[in-house]
Structures are given as structure tokens and as C-alpha cells.
Amino acid sequence: MKAKGDRPAVLMDVAVRAGVSAMTVSRVLNAPDRVRAETRARVMAAVRELDYRPNQAARQLVTGRSGVLGVVSIDTTLYGPASTLYYIEQAARRAGFNVSIASLPSLSRRSMEEGIQRLRAQAVDGVIIVAPHESAADGLRHLPPEMPVVAVDAGDDIPVPVAKVDQQAGARRVTRHLLSLGHETVWHVAGPADWLDANGRIEGWRGVLEAAGREVPEVLRGDWSARSGYRLGRQLGDNPDVTAVFVANDQMALGVLRALREAGRRVPEDVSVAGFDDIPESAYFWPPLTTVRQDFGEVGRHAFHLLLDFMAGHEPEPRRLVEPELVVRESTGARPS
């Protein structure tokens, strides 16, 4: 629905439709955390109904802001980083911000500085950096001091606010689940050594086994791909002592499932297999995959609101952790007798 006479809707049209003042509409669009959730929802509903497009030039004159946020991310199609990027963008656009993305081949200090400079040239109001690599830490310690910056999936020893999933908690839950089914120990197919998420999952897995007094098998390192999961799954399939495997992502778990099937090892009758991520296809693997669900939407919203706090001059929380959820399906079962 458009404004009267099919002219483009203006801010006052939104205010009238939502039953609030023009100042309240402006506050919702520029500082949504300062407005009650009920009022914010009513204003955003009016924005959508009227197809209101904020005038960015006018907004910049009034607020001193461009209405553009920058996001720095590695150039990847991996499910986790790609999903996080999507939900950050969605949260920003719902609040009336445009998003400019700098996709980098790596997160070295040099490439990160180049990405930040590219965004600063566009006068962005703040930057969110999706930083799942160990190599990102150095770049995050040398950011422009005047630029509001928030990181996603970064380590704990950096000087900027961080939003991330509690990887260790997810690994602990899936490992305890497998032990509760009677398995003596749990083997682990991990992600690459320079990924923080992969190392967090190793720590959670190892911690549960050590606390239970169980043998801790050697970590098998993959590269997140189904191909690497298949290669490592062939090693596991040849070992009759393997009855439970925790795989660090669902794509590698797919490769492990195929390798075990080719080795004549039934899942879950002979070997239980669990993954991590809960990609949309995991419920349709054969058998359907037990996995750990990460709420990337919640991570994206947390990162966006931390940045809003920073931009508003408030002291943001140093860390916001999102709890993962264990999703039990048919790929895990009791230890074979």
C-alpha cells in the first residue's frame, strides 16, 4: 500500500499509520534499541505496509550518520559464515540500515586493514567483522580506534565486543549424548587447525571424555568438506573399535556416513555418527543426522545490537554467547553389544 496519490511515502505517513510521533519513527529507524519492542514492531509494520524508503541524505544531515554499516568477511560459501552474514544483513536492513560487504580472501592483518579502509571510504557508521580464523586476531588488535567495530566468532583475547555460538557447549552436549548411549569413547573428525570453531569443538569434546575418565582418541583433521569426511571415514571404518564418531560439521559427516556404509559398518547399529551445524539437508541424510543446531539468526541480531550500542556511545557487553541445541535423529543409537 502506498501513500495518498501513489506518491512515495514520507516519514509523517509512517507516523500517522503507526499512531506515533514522527520523532518516534525516526528513533526506531536510527536507534531502535531506545524504543519499546511493541512500538518498534508497530512502526516497522507501517514501514513495510507503506513501502517507506528513508532518505539517506536527509538522515545523514540530521544524525551525522550515513545509515550504512560495513561487514568484513572471508570469501566463503561455507554454511556457518554465509548464514551469519545473511542474518547480520537482515537485522540491519529491518532497522533501516544499508549494508556494504567487503569479502576478503583471508583475514590477515593486511587484508583486514584494506577491507576496513575500503568501508571507511564509504563513510560507514560501524563495522561487523566475521572472524572465525586464528589469523584474524592480529588484525582485530590493530583497528582504527575511532571506528565502532564488533566481531563475530572471534577469540576471547581481542579488544572488541564479540557475538558467537558457544562451540564448547555444543561439543559437550553431543559428546555426552554419545556416552549416554553406552559408548566407551567418542572419536572426533575435526575442522581445520586455524579455525576457532573447530578448536572450540575439540576442547568441548576432549573435556567431556577426560572428565568421564575415558580414552581420548587421536583427533582426525578435515577441511570442512564431504570429501575430507569420506577420506577420514574410511580410516574409521577399518577400525573395529570405533563405535561413536562426533564430526565437526554436517558436510564432513555426510562423507563419513558414505565411507562407513562402503566399509559395511551400519549406522547407527554398528557406529553412531553425529554432526554439527544442522544444515537444512541434515534431516534428509540416510540415516537422518543427529547434530548440533547453531542459531545464526540470533548471532547476527546480537552482533547488530552490540554495534548499535557502540555507535550510540554506550559501553557494549564484551561477549554475547548463543547457546546451541542438540538435535537427536536416527544416526545415533546404543553401543553394539
Side-chain angles (χ1 to χ4, degrees):
M1 183 181 294
K2 297 285 187 181
K4 292 180 180 179
D6 288 333
R7 62 172 171 76
V10 297
L11 187 139
M12 185 55 70
D13 296 322
V14 176
V16 170
R17 181 61 56 87
V20 299
S21 68
M23 183 176 293
T24 297
V25 175
S26 179
R27 195 172 289 127
V28 167
L29 296 175
N30 295 293
D33 276 2
R34 299 183 180 181
V35 183
R36 288 187 310 157
E38 180 184 350
T39 303
R40 193 165 64 232
R42 198 161 71 244
V43 169
M44 293 310 297
V47 166
R48 290 189 294 270
E49 186 177 352
L50 295 172
D51 194 25
Y52 172 65
R53 308 292 176 86
N55 184 311
Q56 296 296 339
R59 171 190 273 184
Q60 189 164 7
L61 286 173
V62 172
T63 66
R65 295 179 180 174
S66 65
V68 180
L69 301 182
V71 178
V72 174
S73 179
I74 53 172
D75 185 10
T76 181
T77 58
L78 286 171
Y79 180 72
S83 297
T84 301
L85 184 60
Y86 171 79
Y87 284 111
I88 290 171
E89 187 173 13
Q90 290 295 104
R93 292 194 186 283
R94 278 196 298 268
F97 286 89
N98 289 320
V99 177
S100 181
I101 298 172
S103 294
L104 307 178
S106 70
L107 287 176
S108 65
R109 177 178 173 182
R110 179 176 179 180
S111 65
M112 200 179 298
E113 287 175 349
E114 291 174 354
I116 293 286
Q117 289 303 321
R118 198 188 318 162
L119 294 171
R120 290 181 77 185
Q122 300 174 45
V124 298
D125 297 325
V127 175
I128 297 174
I129 300 177
V130 182
H133 284 177
E134 297 276 6
S135 60
D138 187 45
L140 289 168
R141 295 190 190 100
H142 296 86
L143 296 168
E146 71 281 4
M147 174 66 73
V149 173
V150 167
V152 172
D153 291 338
D156 294 328
D157 59 342
I158 59 171
V160 301
V162 176
K164 62 181 180 179
V165 171
D166 190 337
Q167 303 294 332
Q168 291 192 38
R172 287 193 294 268
R173 286 176 183 166
V174 70
T175 306
R176 286 177 184 141
H177 166 68
L178 290 165
L179 292 181
S180 75
L181 295 171
H183 298 280
E184 289 295 324
T185 191
V186 178
W187 292 70
H188 184 45
V189 175
D194 61 340
W195 280 72
L196 293 164
D197 289 354
N199 294 328
R201 292 167 201 176
I202 290 174
E203 290 176 22
W205 160 79
R206 178 180 286 124
V208 169
L209 294 182
E210 290 176 344
R214 307 299 178 89
E215 175 191 355
V216 180
E218 178 185 0
V219 172
L220 303 176
R221 288 277 187 182
D223 62 9
W224 299 130
S225 71
R227 178 182 299 172
S228 70
Y230 175 75
R231 173 176 54 83
L232 297 169
R234 293 186 66 174
Q235 295 181 36
L236 294 168
D238 290 338
N239 185 344
D241 294 331
V242 174
T243 66
V245 184
F246 162 39
V247 189
N249 78 332
D250 292 349
Q251 283 94 343
M252 289 194 299
L254 178 61
V256 169
L257 289 172
R258 175 172 173 174
L260 291 174
R261 187 175 300 115
E262 290 181 359
R265 307 289 299 278
R266 298 169 300 164
V267 177
E269 292 85 357
D270 301 322
V271 182
S272 288
V273 177
F276 208 105
D277 282 341
D278 194 30
I279 63 174
E281 297 83 4
S282 63
Y284 302 95
F285 288 1
W286 188 254
L289 186 67
T290 292
T291 186
V292 176
R293 178 179 296 154
Q294 303 191 75
D295 191 339
F296 297 110
E298 191 70 6
V299 173
R301 288 187 290 272
H302 277 320
F304 172 66
H305 288 294
L306 283 172
L307 186 60
L308 284 186
D309 286 345
F310 208 151
M311 288 161 47
H314 305 311
E315 186 69 29
E317 300 172 41
R319 300 288 178 272
R320 284 195 186 176
L321 285 179
V322 174
E323 288 293 316
E325 174 190 356
L326 177 65
V327 181
V328 178
R329 299 192 180 104
E330 287 87 342
S331 67
T332 53
R335 176 193 175 199
S337 55

